[in-house]
Each structure stands twice: as C-alpha cells, then as structure tokens.
Amino acid sequence: MHKKIAIIGSGFSGLSAAAYSSKAGNEVHVFEKHSQAGGRARQFKTENGYTFDMGPSWYWMPDIIESFFADFETTTANFFELKSLDPQFEMVFSDEKISVPKPFDDLKILFEKIEKGSGQKLEKFMKSARYKYEVGMQDFVNKPCDSWTEFMSPKIARSALKLDLLTNFRSYVSKYFSNPKLKALMEFPVIFLGASPKEIPALYSLMNYGGYVLGTHYPMGGFYQLVLAMKKVAEAQGVIFHFDSAVEKIDAENGKVSSLEINGQIEHFDAVIASSDYHYTESLLPEQYRNYDEEYWKSRTFAPSCLIYYLGFSQRIPNLQHHTLFFEYDFDEHISSIYEKKKWPEKPLFYACCPSKTDPNVAPKGHENIFLLMPIATGLKEEETYREKYFHEMIQRLEKHTGTSNLLSKIDYKRSYCAQDFYKDYNAYQGNAYGLANTLKQTAVLKPKIKNKKLKNLFYTGQLTVPGPGVPPSIISGRIVAKEVNKLKNVRYEKTV
C-alpha cells in the first residue's frame, strides 16, 4: 500500500530518505524550516562575490556517495565535476609541515622517510582497513540495528575478529607506528566521528582507507552541489519540497502519528521520517511517546560543536593548500578540553579550508575564500569575546604558516558561526555540529533507535541514529529508514468522526 509520507528536514539523510521513499511509489513531502535544502550543508553567497559552503568540506568515500546515484540510474558526473585533490591536505606541526599526496605509493614513500619501515607497515595497515571498509560499509552499516541478531550472518561472524571492534583506535595505530606525527596523521580522520581516538573502535580505520586511499575530492561549485544533485534526484522521483516550513508539533492518536503542525497548519500523513535533530524531534511529541528522556541525552557522548569563521580576503594567499590542519599543539590536550574538561581550549588545533585554490568561482578574481574551523565542546558558555580571541589566534598562525602579514587588513568579508548558531538554525542538542560520537558504547544497536517504540509510523534518520555522523553514513541512514517505512502496513490515515 502506497503511503503519504512527511520528511522533516532536508539534510543528507532527509534527501536520501525522500528519494528512496518516493521511488517505492509513495507520495513524499519534505518540510524544511530554511529557504533552501541541505541542513548543515547549506551554502550562502555574499554581495561582494563569495560563495561559502556552511558545513561539510571533506568529500571522502566517493563510492558510497556514487552508490546513491546508481540506485536511481544516474551518476554524480551528470550533476557536477568532481576533482581529486593532490596533495589531499597539509598538516602543520610546530617544526614542520607534511603534505599528504594523492598516489598511495607516494604516501608510502613519505611515511618511510619519516619512520623507517613504516612504508610497509602503512601498506599492511591499509590492507586491513580496506577489509574493514568493504565489510563495514557494505554489511555492517546497512542494518536498522533493532537487534544484535541482525549481525549474526556467517559473513559478519567470520569477520568479527578482523573488524577489531574491541580494540581502541589509538592502541591499534600504535601497533603500526611510533612516530608521533604519523600517529597524528592516522588519528586525525576519527575526529569526524566525534570522540577521542582512545574511545573509538579500531573498526574505524576504514576511515583512513576511505580517505587516504580512495582520495580526497571536491565538487566544483562547492559541496552544496551534492545537495542540489540529491534534491534533483528526489524531485525526479516525485518528491515535493516545502521550504520555510517549520514543523512545530507532532500529533498522535491510537498508537500512530496522525498529523504534523506546520507553520500553524495541520497536515495529515500515514508516516513521518524525522531527519531533524533527534532530541528536538522528540520534544515535539507528548512526553509519553518519546523514546528517550532528558537523562538519557545527558548521558550520551556527543561529537564536538565548533567555532567557524567564513572569510573573504582581497588578495591571494600563498603557501596554502585547499585543506590545511594546524596541529602545532598537543592533540590530546585539545581533545581533553572537548570531552573531559568541557571548556574552551587553551592551545587549540584548527582546520583551514581554502576552496578558491581549486575553484575560481567561489571568490572574486584575485581574492581568496577561506573558512576556519576549531572543534569545541558542546554546551559551552559562549560570548562574542571568545569568538574574537580565537579568531585572532587562528589568523596569526595562518600568517606564520603562509609567510604573509597584515591579513586582518585584507579581509573584505567576515562571518562567525558557533554553538548557539547550530542550536538556533538546526535545533542541535547542546549546539553539537556532528551528531552522536561513534564510541563503542554508542555503536550499532546501542545508538538511538530509528523507530519510535510507541508510535508505529514515526521514524528517525541522520547523524544521531544509525549508522552515525558524516555525509556517507547520513545518506545510508536515509536509505535504511526508507526501507523500514516501506514495510509498514495498516497506517493509512483515516479521519475519525
């Protein structure tokens, strides 16, 4: 039986869920509070000619993204040009900088120069990481995670030891490398998973394979091109988008969601998929219908929030790559400030993205487009003076790295974005930027459920449920939930007299 389905939010999981749900023959409506699709991956343009991606900037795991388009008999190439970056990124330490080359053979040579014997160890590491990637991204992450029995297939059982689920990522990396810079290079990708390397399962070495071996890419026109492409795919299936449409309440009766209140108007649906913040979605329900209470959310480990600056410079800046990681200070000290001390970092690490090095259309001719991102703890007290303090420190380190001076005087566009903005724009719990951390205690079945336990036709998707944070996992999350919704029977809305 075909259904009338509402999707709350148009981030990657919402776009994915919409496309797959509509492909199955359902009538699908997407309600987005903003004036454009994308959620955290929105884009904005300035009056003086800059184009800024607001969220994701690392295009990793291109095969996973490509598989979405393949399911609709198309390819990303029909929507945007994908450029492979070489070098993939640069990591800046206190005494040197390391550029990560695109060819894997060159990466092995680089490792060997830094630590004798590590080139061969890197090959061994990536062979294992490839196995985890193939099993993890094809079998492990594609489960709705209702029960551990889903993982009792012969293939997953045979793979259990090789997946290194019970070893933490830091210990695992230390088995291969002893040089602290190589360790930092290998540990950096799990920052996207939202926890210390000491808390992340070694399974996630698959991130190293998905990034370093499969390569770092950039969609010309900005990461938002992926949003636009997925929206076009969804619309081709018949999905209807409603922008500037905030869902204010979820009504329920007889064990089912009956309607949504949208901009003060009541709309009835057979099923609802919430791609919005999980905690916020539940706040729209009467308390007795929520999966989790406040104590549950307080007990969770969240991925960081972040302080972001979107900057336009009136001149080109030399000696700067598309992606640059500033790791001059101790990695663990910054991580501790996020997860243990819950305070603003004293010696922060940060990331600079300069897409105008690859794409001349994101900045006026002769100008530079840069955004700076510093991970911070969720729930911090925030004041404008904090933003400016860290802004000036990041600019000083950018000047030192690039050999330029007086960058402040060259800024012709500046906008900051921090935890309170994530909360205001996305209803993000405690202002988190990346969802729920992928710790061992928050993996698979231990994540918040995709199904509401009391309302048979309410589902959740996105970075706070399975499979976890990141663009490819969010796309997968949408596909998983669409399949579950399609199994529903006897949920047709009928008006009671």
Side-chain angles (χ1 to χ4, degrees), residues 269-287:
F269 297 93
D270 302 318
V272 174
I273 299 172
S275 172
S276 44
D277 178 270
Y278 201 126
H279 173 269
Y280 175 74
T281 301
E282 297 239 290
S283 76
L284 302 178
L285 285 165
E287 203 166 317

Side-chain angles (χ1 to χ4, degrees), residues 222-271:
F223 211 100
Y224 193 65
Q225 295 304 311
L226 178 58
V227 171
L228 294 177
M230 291 181 67
K231 179 174 178 284
K232 288 176 183 175
V233 167
E235 288 174 327
Q237 308 308 306
V239 175
I240 301 167
F241 286 85
H242 306 267
F243 296 107
D244 299 307
S245 299
V247 176
E248 298 158 336
K249 187 180 179 184
I250 302 174
D251 294 310
E253 59 180 275
N254 301 321
K256 297 185 293 186
V257 168
S258 57
S259 64
L260 299 179
E261 186 173 321
I262 306 158
N263 290 349
Q265 301 295 313
I266 302 298
E267 298 281 348
H268 297 281
F269 297 93
D270 302 318

Side-chain angles (χ1 to χ4, degrees), residues 13-286:
S13 64
L15 291 168
S16 175
Y20 284 110
S21 295
S22 191
K23 183 183 179 184
N26 300 300
E27 179 186 336
V28 180
H29 295 262
V30 177
F31 296 95
E32 168 58 54
K33 67 177 285 191
H34 295 107
S35 59
Q36 61 176 298
R40 285 169 166 80
R42 290 180 299 150
Q43 188 179 78
F44 71 92
K45 298 178 185 291
T46 70
E47 292 182 357
N48 57 343
Y50 293 99
T51 299
F52 291 98
D53 284 320
M54 295 188 70
S57 59
W58 293 80
Y59 196 110
W60 277 1
M61 303 185 185
D63 57 325
I64 303 299
I65 295 173
E66 200 65 59
S67 69
F68 168 84
F69 291 90
D71 284 344
F72 298 92
E73 299 181 348
T74 187
T75 69
T76 55
N78 289 328
F79 299 95
F80 54 81
E81 177 190 355
L82 193 62
K83 293 200 75 170
S84 183
L85 302 182
D86 189 11
Q88 299 188 50
F89 62 91
E90 189 164 57
M91 186 172 273
V92 179
F93 296 99
S94 59
D95 57 348
E96 68 173 321
K97 54 188 84 169
I98 296 176
S99 289
V100 175
K102 172 186 170 184
F104 183 62
D105 284 343
D106 290 353
L107 185 59
K108 287 194 297 181
I109 293 170
L110 172 65
F111 269 59
E112 189 65 30
K113 285 181 179 177
I114 295 173
E115 181 181 311
K116 189 172 183 180
S118 66
Q120 189 174 2
K121 289 178 180 177
L122 178 64
E123 188 166 12
K124 186 178 178 181
F125 181 101
M126 288 301 183
K127 182 178 179 181
S128 177
R130 177 177 180 175
Y131 180 83
K132 294 184 180 76
Y133 186 85
E134 291 173 348
V135 173
M137 299 307 291
Q138 292 176 18
D139 298 300
F140 200 78
V141 302
N142 284 296
K143 308 290 185 185
C145 295
D146 289 326
S147 166
W148 288 114
T149 58
E150 296 170 24
F151 300 92
M152 290 183 180
S153 71
K155 182 175 182 181
I156 292 179
R158 289 194 303 268
S159 305
L161 289 176
K162 291 183 180 179
L163 291 176
D164 290 304
L165 282 167
L166 300 179
T167 304
N168 74 66
F169 194 80
R170 168 150 295 172
S171 298
Y172 184 75
V173 168
S174 295
K175 291 179 182 177
Y176 289 88
F177 312 105
S178 58
N179 183 281
K181 291 172 184 173
L182 293 186
K183 286 182 178 180
L185 200 61
M186 299 306 285
E187 288 182 353
F188 140 70
V190 302
I191 292 176
F192 293 121
L193 301 176
S196 164
K198 294 181 287 187
E199 303 296 331
I200 295 285
L203 163 70
Y204 291 105
S205 62
L206 62 84
M207 292 282 290
N208 299 88
Y209 178 81
Y212 297 175
V213 178
L214 297 184
T216 303
H217 304 79
Y218 172 80
M220 295 298 286
F223 211 100
Y224 193 65
Q225 295 304 311
L226 178 58
V227 171
L228 294 177
M230 291 181 67
K231 179 174 178 284
K232 288 176 183 175
V233 167
E235 288 174 327
Q237 308 308 306
V239 175
I240 301 167
F241 286 85
H242 306 267
F243 296 107
D244 299 307
S245 299
V247 176
E248 298 158 336
K249 187 180 179 184
I250 302 174
D251 294 310
E253 59 180 275
N254 301 321
K256 297 185 293 186
V257 168
S258 57
S259 64
L260 299 179
E261 186 173 321
I262 306 158
N263 290 349
Q265 301 295 313
I266 302 298
E267 298 281 348
H268 297 281
F269 297 93
D270 302 318
V272 174
I273 299 172
S275 172
S276 44
D277 178 270
Y278 201 126
H279 173 269
Y280 175 74
T281 301
E282 297 239 290
S283 76
L284 302 178
L285 285 165

